[in-house]
Amino acid sequence: MSAALTPAFCPHCHTPNRAGARFCATCGRVLTGDLLTPGATLQGGRYRVLRLLGRGGNSAVYLVEDQRLARPCVAKALQGYFATAAESRRAAADFAREARILAHLSTEHPGLPQTYDYFAEGERLYLIMQYVPGEPLDVRLRAGGPLAEGEVLGIGAAVAEVLAFLHAQRPEPVIHRDVKPANLILDGAGRVKLVDFGLAKALPSTTGGLEADRHTGAAGTAGYTPPEQWALRPEARSDVYALGATLHHLLSGRDPYDPFRGAGELNLELIGRLSVFPPLPTLRPAVTPALHRLITAMLLPEPAARPPAAEVQAALAGLLKPGRGVVAPRTPRRPAAPKPAPTVLSIPPLTRTHAEALAVAWVRGAVVGLPPDMPLPVLSATLELVPFALARYTLAARYTNPAGQLLHALNAAGVAVLDGVEGKPPDAALTDLLMAARPALCALAPPDAATLLPFRLTTAQLRDALIAHLIAVHTTKVSYRNSQKRRYSRTCKPSRGDIRFEDGEPLLLHYPRWTVTLRLGEQSHTLILYPPAPGGAAPLVEAPLLQGTALCPGCGRLFLRAHLIACATCGRGVCARCAVYRSRLGLFRKPFCSPACAAG
């Protein structure tokens, strides 16, 4: 029996249309093409269609039986109608090129399905691939909810390893463009397979006509696709964003697609507003802080700010404890020699008990009116050694006008600090803390309970980043008049040669950082605590506005919401000391947050 066709169903309004129709009779949109019926055969009867597995964009995927080798396979068909013959030829060329790439890559990495055959039949192109019997992760999420953290770490490390392999291909990297739970399958042995490489993506698209549906289009899948891919500029780290969205979904159970339901036509501005990921601790308080920070970095809007796939794989593998993941680590060919205990330059970290006590004391001191007997139980406390680069510098430069007159002289000396992970300067409070701790640094072995975060930048890269930071800080614009009294301005920008580091190279150090989660009332809150330098007065605490509390607009202090008085005009809470009481029309006196509200 030859390939038989069924009536075409519109993927937009789901209305059946006659076989061979190019446009939907109900909504008028272009149809994705006709589908093969079970029992239809391909390639002269070698492949028999068993059932439709899925469809989206310009392709349909079928489960077929290879009757020659008696094995199940997956047949992916390029289908759909194109506006011009040139677009059709381009789609066919892309399909053939990616089929050859996958045929080469699938033999080199076990995380990719094998590619068996590629052929044309009629007006369609077909790609025959390995059938992976297993359960897609989206099905598992719908059935059982969020996954265990250990299992998510194993899945994420395995997928990141596949992406790193794809992105390392030359002469150009291979970009998957559609990483999501539906395209991750766990086989019978618990191994992860990355499927559906979106081979039919030559159809042009503009952001003005994007649809918020679950099918993969020219731009991607709503909720998992980064901004640059919606703008049709995908790159290797676009896959890192999609993997971050997938890990967020697996841990929280919140589908990133949910905000797009019913959104209809999309544009880049609307996509930016809908692509929001709540902090993981608010959805899953027990998540490891290091994993939360890694996923947050993977979801940054700027591609250059995201870590590459190889670093993501290393970070996830470092968090994965033995026996928790679904992917067994590869057995090394030779037994690795035991590594010596790392030695870092740091100050001695606080003990867990001391860090918990400091966090509780900070909350009690920050929230005004907190009952002394109110319990503040600590839920978790983790210690990390965070990398920083610190350099003492001098800067001397002179700037003159074309006539040789001195316009500006710059003589500066100080200390510059950069984060060793992202290469960015920390805030002023943390910079002051690191400068105060510099004389007390010593070489020590990290505690067993501490996580040592490695430097992502080399010493040379950190030196270049420090120089670029100092140039940006000391760049200024100077106005002057020439001999004809005309006003001019010049940007006085230091050069690299104007900057000298006293120690030759930046000082690489690690500073202890405690992440403490405690419960205040019915809410859990996470505080970041940097212990004081030896001889210092108090620790540096970074904390968001605690839930259940509010700032008084008058004095700026933090109060429990129950201890604030609502303004009769604007409704804002104000403390009893800052409240303004006025009577109107001879009635009872009412509280207001400011004289302006009282006058209104």
Side-chain angles (χ1 to χ4, degrees):
M1 183 176 61
S2 59
L5 301 178
T6 62
F9 283 82
C10 177
H12 307 285
C13 66
H14 308 287
T15 302
N17 292 267
R18 63 176 178 81
R22 297 185 58 185
F23 302 95
C24 177
T26 302
C27 66
R29 299 188 182 184
V30 177
L31 301 175
T32 59
D34 303 319
L35 301 176
L36 300 178
T37 58
T41 59
L42 300 170
Q43 199 71 343
R46 175 174 179 177
Y47 301 106
R48 183 170 64 90
V49 177
L50 301 179
R51 59 186 174 91
L52 176 70
L53 293 178
R55 58 180 178 177
N58 301 304
S59 62
V61 181
Y62 303 91
L63 175 62
V64 300
E65 180 185 6
D66 184 347
Q67 301 189 97
R68 182 181 304 173
L69 300 178
R71 64 180 178 184
C73 303
V74 169
K76 186 165 188 176
L78 173 64
Q79 60 180 34
Y81 299 102
F82 299 89
T84 64
E87 292 177 4
S88 178
R89 289 193 298 270
R90 185 163 59 249
D94 288 347
F95 195 87
R97 177 181 59 84
E98 296 198 32
R100 289 192 295 270
I101 291 175
L102 282 178
H104 169 68
L105 296 180
S106 62
T107 61
E108 299 184 7
H109 200 286
L112 302 175
Q114 297 291 311
T115 302
Y116 299 142
D117 200 359
Y118 168 73
F119 58 87
E121 186 163 313
E123 297 182 354
R124 293 195 179 133
L125 299 175
Y126 294 91
L127 180 63
I128 307 298
M129 296 177 290
Q130 174 190 6
Y131 172 63
V132 182
E135 185 179 43
L137 290 183
D138 64 331
V139 175
R140 185 169 176 185
L141 280 169
R142 288 195 295 269
L147 277 59
E149 182 176 310
E151 188 173 9
V152 174
L153 288 171
I155 292 171
V159 177
E161 183 184 0
V162 176
L163 295 179
F165 168 76
L166 296 175
H167 298 167
Q169 299 305 306
R170 295 295 179 266
E172 60 183 18
V174 177
I175 308 172
H176 187 278
R177 298 185 180 94
D178 198 22
V179 179
K180 58 184 178 181
N183 290 338
L184 300 176
I185 297 179
L186 293 180
D187 63 11
R191 294 167 298 192
V192 183
K193 295 281 188 178
L194 178 60
V195 301
D196 191 359
F197 273 68
L199 302 181
K201 289 187 181 293
L203 183 63
S205 174
T206 61
T207 54
L210 299 174
E211 291 292 330
D213 58 29
R214 274 197 173 275
H215 298 302
T216 301
T221 300
Y224 298 90
T225 300
E228 72 275 5
Q229 190 170 326
W230 283 115
L232 303 182
R233 296 190 300 272
E235 57 180 83
R237 301 195 191 197
S238 302
D239 287 342
V240 173
Y241 180 100
L243 177 57
T246 298
L247 297 180
H248 191 282
H249 188 186
L250 297 179
L251 287 167
S252 67
R254 176 192 176 272
D255 191 344
Y257 170 73
D258 287 343
F260 291 84
R261 297 183 188 277
E265 296 287 335
L266 299 177
N267 54 50
L268 291 179
E269 180 182 359
L270 180 58
I271 290 170
R273 293 202 305 267
L274 296 179
S275 299
V276 177
F277 293 86
L280 270 175
T282 63
L283 303 176
R284 187 167 180 164
V287 69
T288 302
L291 178 58
H292 165 52
R293 287 192 295 272
L294 175 62
I295 294 177
T296 301
M298 296 169 68
L299 294 173
L300 291 174
E302 290 297 329
R306 303 171 200 148
E311 290 188 9
V312 172
Q313 191 275 335
L316 291 172
L319 293 172
L320 184 61
K321 296 181 180 179
R324 292 178 63 191
V326 297
V327 182
R330 295 182 178 179
T331 304
R333 295 182 179 179
R334 297 179 181 177
K339 295 183 178 180
T343 301
V344 300
L345 199 61
S346 177
I347 66 168
L350 301 175
T351 64
R352 178 189 179 98
T353 303
H354 193 185
E356 293 177 354
L358 286 175
V360 172
W362 184 89
V363 173
R364 292 196 182 279
V367 181
V368 179
L370 193 66
D373 57 346
M374 183 176 184
L376 297 176
V378 176
L379 304 180
S380 64
T382 57
L383 173 62
E384 295 174 322
L385 296 179
V386 187
F388 292 96
L390 186 147
R392 299 181 66 87
Y393 72 93
T394 58
L395 192 155
R398 293 170 58 86
Y399 308 95
T400 60
N401 63 8
Q405 297 176 338
L406 180 65
L407 293 178
H408 182 63
L410 181 60
N411 293 282
V415 178
V417 181
L418 285 185
D419 179 359
V421 176
E422 298 181 357
K424 297 180 180 180
D427 57 28
L430 184 53
T431 299
D432 293 341
L433 181 64
L434 293 171
M435 291 171 59
R438 184 176 182 273
L441 294 173
C442 59
L444 52 85
D448 294 337
T451 300
L452 182 64
L453 301 183
F455 282 89
R456 289 187 179 176
L457 304 178
T458 64
T459 304
Q461 291 173 328
L462 287 170
R463 178 186 176 89
D464 292 341
L466 282 167
I467 292 175
H469 169 63
L470 292 173
I471 290 175
V473 169
H474 292 285
T475 297
T476 184
K477 181 173 287 189
V478 177
S479 299
Y480 67 96
R481 295 180 183 272
N482 63 2
S483 57
Q484 287 78 31
K485 304 301 182 182
R486 293 182 179 177
R487 181 175 295 276
Y488 292 88
S489 64
R490 176 183 174 181
T491 300
C492 299
K493 182 178 181 180
S495 65
R496 295 176 62 93
D498 297 331
I499 302 173
R500 297 285 186 272
F501 292 118
E502 292 186 4
D503 301 324
E505 294 293 340
L507 177 65
L508 304 184
L509 61 99
H510 284 75
Y511 202 85
R513 177 177 68 188
W514 280 95
T515 302
V516 182
T517 302
L518 49 77
R519 185 175 297 280
L520 175 60
E522 299 298 325
Q523 302 291 336
S524 59
H525 308 278
T526 300
L527 283 71
I528 306 298
L529 187 146
Y530 295 91
L540 173 63
V541 179
E542 297 177 354
L545 187 63
L546 303 179
Q547 296 185 18
T549 65
L551 291 173
C552 171
C555 60
R557 295 187 297 170
L558 197 63
F559 289 85
L560 292 175
R561 292 186 184 276
H563 294 175
L564 295 178
I565 304 170
C567 175
T569 300
C570 66
R572 290 191 301 175
V574 62
C575 70
R577 189 177 69 175
C578 298
V580 178
Y581 288 88
R582 295 285 190 275
S583 61
R584 292 181 177 175
L585 303 176
L587 301 177
F588 296 103
R589 299 174 67 199
K590 294 183 178 180
F592 301 94
C593 65
S594 65
C597 280

